[in-house]
Amino acid sequence: MPISAISQTQKVSVAIVGGGMVGAVTALLLSRHLPHVKIQLFDRLAGSLTQGDEHAASARPSFDSRSTAIAPTTQLCFKQLGLWPQLLPHATPIHNIHISDKGHAGQGLFDRFDNTGEPLGYVVQNAGLGPVLMRALQQANTVETQESEVTAVNISAKGARLTLSDRSVCCVDLAIIADGADSQLRGQLGITARVDDYQQHALVANVRHSKAHELTAYERFTARGPMALLPIGGHASGVESTLVWTCPSAQLQAYQAMSSAGRLEQLQRQFGFRLGYFSAMSEPAFYPLRRVLADEQVRQHVVLMGNAAHFLHPVAGQGFNLSVRDALRLTAVLKTSAEQGQYLGSLDVLSRYEHEQAADQHYTVGLSHSFHRLFTGAPLPVQLGRTLGFLALEFNPVVRTHFIGLLSGQAVPQTML
C-alpha cells in the first residue's frame, strides 16, 4: 500500500523495522497468511518501496548490482508468493556446483540430479529482485509503509512502543527487527551479539570469461580465503559470472590499489582456467567479513530477523536463504497462534518459533563458519582431513546427500505455507 501518514500515536498489530530483502519478504508472507493482521513497515527509504521501479530500487543498498544465490526452498517461497514468474527473467539456474581446494587433490562436483533433476538453486540479480518485491508490497492490502527511522523500542506488558525519527510513536503487539548486522535497536534493547571477525574483506564484482559457465557455480578455496563464481546471464552459454573473492583485511589496500589488469591476473592465478581466460571485471565493491550472532533472538513483543539475528560469511550463499526460512517458520507459528486465539507478541509464541527454527539455524550457521575455519590457512593435518572429506563427498552417497541438503537448505524439515 502507499506510504501512510501515521498519527502521533498509532496502534497496529505487527511492525517490521527494515525494508530490505528480509523485511520485505517477511511482510509479504505475513500479509498473505495473516490477512486480518495490520502490518506497518518502517524504513528510512520507504519511498523507494512504493515506487516499484529499477531506479528507485538502485538507491537501496539491498538492491544494488550484486546477485544473491537462491536455494530451492527460497525459490518455492517466491513461487507461493506468486513472484517467481516476475523473478525468472532476472534468474540463472545452477545445474552444477564445483568445489575445489587450490593446491590439493580434493574436489567435489554436484549436479542437478543430486536434487532429483531440479536446479540446485538460482542466482538472482538484486537489481531485478528489488522492484519485484517493491511492487508486491505496494499491492499488499494489509501492509503500510512509513518513511521514517525507528530510533527506540521500549517494551512493556502491553506491547512494544516504537519511537520514530519525527518523534511520533507507534504501539505494536509485535516488533520484527530486521535493520541489519549492526542493528542499533538490538543494542538499544540490551541484546548482545557474538562477533567473529574473520579478518577478511570480500571483493564483489561481475567478471567476463572466455569459456561458457554452463550453469556451473564454483566454490574455490585458497590459502588467502575462499572465492565463489556464480553464473549469470540466464543461459548455459553465458560468459559472465558474479565473483565473491575474499582477501585478508591486511592486504585490502593493496587489492583496492590494483589496476584492473592486475586484479584479473591475480584472479586467474588463484582460480585457474576452468572458465578460460578472464577478460574484464566490473568496478569492485569491498565488504568486511564477520560472523554476528545475536545472543537473544526473541523477547516479549520482539523478534530479531535477518542480519540482525545472524550475519554469515557470504561464500557459501547461506545468509539470505536462512533468513527466508526463518520468515517462513515465524509466519507459520504466528498463523497457528492466531487461529488458536493466542496473543502474537507473547513470549510463549515467539519462543516456540525460536525452538522450532533452532536446528536449521544451528546447521546452517555451522556450515558457513566451518567453511572459513577449514579452508583458510589450515595446518597440514586439517588439509589432509578435508581432502578425505572431499573423497567422502564424491563417493559416499550418505555424506553426499547430507551435504547437498545443507547447501540447498533442506538439511532439516522445512516449513512451506
Side-chain angles (χ1 to χ4, degrees):
M1 292 181 65
I3 298 176
S4 66
I6 194 167
S7 59
Q8 191 66 22
T9 300
Q10 181 175 333
K11 183 74 169 69
V12 300
S13 296
V14 176
I16 299 174
V17 182
M21 291 194 293
V22 175
V25 169
T26 304
L28 293 171
L29 284 170
L30 293 176
S31 178
R32 171 165 291 228
H33 296 286
L34 286 85
H36 303 297
V37 172
K38 183 177 180 181
I39 302 162
Q40 188 85 35
L41 191 152
F42 294 101
D43 191 274
R44 63 183 179 84
L45 297 174
S48 65
L49 289 173
T50 59
Q51 293 177 40
D53 58 48
E54 285 75 3
H55 178 73
S58 64
R60 303 186 57 80
S62 297
F63 306 136
D64 56 16
S65 60
R66 288 175 289 178
S67 296
T68 297
I70 300 295
T73 49
T74 301
Q75 182 208 12
L76 184 55
C77 174
F78 284 135
K79 282 185 175 181
Q80 292 183 346
L81 287 172
L83 302 181
W84 189 245
Q86 302 168 56
L87 289 173
L88 198 53
H90 309 285
T92 300
I94 298 173
H95 284 184
N96 313 285
I97 297 176
H98 187 280
I99 305 174
S100 60
D101 189 3
K102 185 178 187 300
H104 302 279
Q107 66 177 14
L109 179 63
F110 301 89
D111 59 39
R112 59 194 177 97
F113 297 105
D114 289 303
N115 190 39
T116 65
E118 294 297 318
L120 296 165
Y122 286 81
V123 182
V124 177
Q125 294 172 300
N126 291 5
L129 174 59
V132 171
L133 292 177
M134 291 176 190
R135 286 192 291 268
L137 283 172
Q138 194 173 20
Q139 296 164 7
N141 292 329
T142 59
V143 179
E144 292 186 349
T145 59
Q146 172 69 20
E147 190 165 3
S148 185
E149 185 176 358
V150 178
T151 59
V153 179
N154 294 287
I155 307 301
S156 70
K158 295 182 179 181
R161 180 182 173 92
L162 309 184
T163 302
L164 310 183
S165 52
D166 62 2
R167 298 186 180 181
S168 61
V169 171
C170 181
C171 298
V172 301
D173 297 326
L174 173 62
I176 297 174
I177 297 176
D179 59 345
D182 296 315
S183 172
Q184 294 184 358
L185 296 181
R186 182 185 64 209
Q188 192 260 334
L189 285 166
I191 298 176
T192 57
R194 186 170 76 234
V195 180
D196 296 298
D197 188 346
Y198 290 136
Q199 297 297 310
Q200 292 178 334
H201 275 68
L203 179 159
V204 180
N206 292 336
V207 294
R208 179 175 287 273
H209 34 79
S210 60
K211 290 184 178 179
H213 53 57
E214 298 181 343
L215 305 179
T216 300
Y218 292 91
E219 300 276 357
R220 176 77 161 160
F221 297 97
T222 77
R224 296 185 179 185
M227 65 171 62
L229 278 157
L230 306 176
I232 57 177
H235 48 82
S237 58
V239 290
E240 286 191 79
S241 298
T242 286
L243 169 68
V244 181
W245 181 15
T246 61
C247 68
S249 295
Q251 300 176 21
L252 174 62
Q253 291 185 344
Y255 274 75
Q256 290 174 326
M258 279 184 192
S259 65
S260 179
R263 289 195 191 102
L264 289 172
E265 181 183 355
Q266 186 67 241
L267 174 62
Q268 196 83 66
R269 186 179 298 119
Q270 295 297 316
F271 182 79
F273 293 89
R274 291 179 178 85
L275 287 170
Y277 289 92
F278 293 107
S279 59
M281 179 186 297
S282 66
E283 187 64 29
F286 294 85
Y287 303 92
L289 299 182
R290 57 206 165 121
R291 181 177 70 161
V292 182
L293 301 177
D295 291 322
E296 302 172 68
Q297 291 188 29
V298 302
R299 283 185 178 178
Q300 183 92 347
H301 308 297
V302 173
V303 59
L304 303 184
M305 297 289 288
N307 290 341
H310 42 66
F311 181 66
L312 308 181
H313 197 295
V315 78
Q318 297 297 310
F320 175 63
N321 294 293
L322 175 59
S323 294
V324 169
R325 298 196 300 274
D326 288 347
L328 284 163
R329 184 79 67 176
L330 177 64
T331 301
V333 169
L334 293 180
K335 180 182 178 182
T336 299
S337 300
E339 291 170 348
Q340 296 174 351
Q342 295 175 296
Y343 179 59
L344 296 185
S346 76
L347 186 58
D348 286 343
V349 169
L350 301 179
S351 294
R352 186 158 68 248
Y353 151 73
E354 186 177 40
H355 173 75
E356 291 183 6
Q357 191 58 8
D360 189 8
Q361 291 190 7
H362 172 77
Y363 283 124
T364 306
V365 170
L367 173 69
S368 175
H369 190 54
S370 64
F371 270 12
H372 166 75
R373 288 190 303 157
L374 291 174
F375 291 98
T376 302
L380 181 60
V382 176
Q383 294 175 13
L384 294 174
R386 70 194 189 203
T387 298
L388 293 174
F390 275 119
L391 292 174
L393 286 176
E394 192 70 20
F395 298 109
N396 187 315
V398 176
V399 174
R400 187 179 182 88
T401 299
H402 180 67
F403 185 75
I404 203 66
L406 285 171
L407 282 180
S408 61
Q410 303 173 87
V412 297
Q414 294 303 315
T415 296
M416 301 308 298
L417 294 157

